[in-house]
Amino acid sequence: MRIGLCQIVSGAHPAQNLELVREGISLAADQGAELVVFPEATMACFGGPKLTEVAEPVDGPWGTAVGRLAKEAGVLVVAGMFTPAPDGRVYNTLLVTGGDDPVGYNKIHLFDAFGFTESKTVAPGDDLVAIEIGGVTVGMTTCYDVRFPELYRALADNGASVIITAASWGAGEGKREQWELLTRARALDSTTWVVACGQADPASAGIETSGNAPTGVGYSAVVDPFGRVQAALGAEPEVLVVSIDPFVTEQAREAIPVLENRRL
């Protein structure tokens, strides 16, 4: 399977961010990607517009436009957006599109940490989401989810051999190191491939930010089920396309049967 990671810096305007999606899809598809992954908050960055003002269903105008781009390129796309929640907040949603019907994963674990309270504006999701791509089950997670190993194990129990982690990781002392450690740990916990695609560091693109909204640190990576980093990016915007072998998941689960051996 060929997977493209599009490490971007999204801005406040969904229409402008759609152009970043268009460019990323084109670059990844030209390198043979079948699945193209964008970060959390691709539709609109944190710390920008009021999220309820940009939120729309996965089959709304923005999501439909992403789906059209995906179909034109012959790929599936995963991209972070915001969808309306019934309580007046929004869901932090990963859109999966390019197939017959769009699918949305609503982030389960909200980032109420490091002085940021995502739950003020975002409602938590409840449901696991995994899709089948060419006979491979791919699970969906978002950012703060990576601190909860039980979610990754649950996705593995539901057949996932690859897990997407889309993020807009908050900056700060030690945060890059935590991101790198956590993605590798979750790959080992679940013996799955972890495809971790985050927002690039805005400073690397000459963009100034203020406040404590999580706007990204970069360092997207592809980690195999043995916890080995197979490919990684730096802080700046870039597209990375990697081939992964789902059979490595079977090898890891035979060698390190942690899913079978657990007792709790």
Side-chain angles (χ1 to χ4, degrees):
M1 176 184 288
R2 293 278 283 173
I3 299 180
L5 291 76
C6 297
Q7 183 172 279
I8 63 170
V9 178
S10 62
H13 304 292
Q16 294 178 6
N17 295 328
L18 189 62
E19 292 305 309
L20 295 177
V21 173
R22 184 192 308 275
E23 180 181 357
I25 290 174
S26 177
L27 290 170
D30 285 348
Q31 297 178 60
E34 305 161 66
L35 175 64
V36 183
V37 182
F38 289 86
E40 175 188 25
T42 292
M43 179 194 204
C45 63
F46 287 109
K50 189 175 181 181
L51 296 182
T52 52
E53 294 178 355
V54 299
E56 61 180 58
V58 293
D59 59 356
W62 196 86
T64 297
V66 175
R68 186 180 305 115
L69 293 171
K71 289 179 180 179
E72 289 173 355
V75 299
L76 287 179
V77 169
V78 176
M81 64 178 296
F82 300 100
T83 58
D87 64 0
R89 293 182 290 178
V90 302
Y91 290 119
N92 185 341
T93 301
L94 280 188
L95 167 70
V96 186
T97 188
D100 294 332
D101 296 300
V103 175
Y105 162 68
N106 296 328
K107 183 179 181 182
I108 291 174
H109 301 98
L110 301 182
F111 184 53
D112 289 357
F114 291 101
F116 187 78
T117 310
E118 186 177 13
S119 61
K120 286 183 179 179
T121 54
V122 178
D126 296 306
D127 299 324
L128 301 182
V129 172
I131 60 170
E132 188 173 308
I133 303 173
V136 178
T137 301
V138 181
M140 300 294 150
T141 67
T142 304
C143 204
Y144 195 51
D145 281 337
V146 79
R147 294 185 182 273
F148 299 88
E150 60 271 22
L151 173 58
Y152 286 70
R153 293 191 187 109
L155 286 166
D157 288 341
N158 279 272
S161 57
V162 179
I163 296 177
I164 304 297
T165 302
S168 185
W169 197 253
E173 183 178 357
K175 292 298 296 298
R176 170 191 163 187
E177 291 80 3
Q178 291 175 33
W179 166 248
E180 292 171 329
L181 174 62
L182 287 162
T183 53
R184 295 181 69 185
R186 294 299 81 82
L188 284 166
D189 291 337
S190 58
T191 48
T192 63
W193 287 88
V194 170
V195 177
C197 183
Q199 293 269 349
D201 183 349
S204 73
I207 300 172
E208 293 185 6
T209 59
S210 60
N212 64 344
T215 53
V217 298
Y219 295 93
S220 299
V222 176
V223 185
D224 75 16
F226 289 97
R228 302 172 297 202
V229 177
Q230 295 294 334
L233 295 176
E236 63 280 352
E238 194 173 352
V239 173
L240 172 68
V241 179
V242 178
S243 293
I244 69 170
D245 182 359
F247 180 65
V248 177
T249 300
E250 297 179 28
Q251 294 176 320
R253 290 178 180 174
E254 182 176 347
I256 321 168
V258 291
L259 296 174
E260 292 184 13
N261 293 345
R262 60 187 159 160
R263 298 180 63 191
L264 298 176

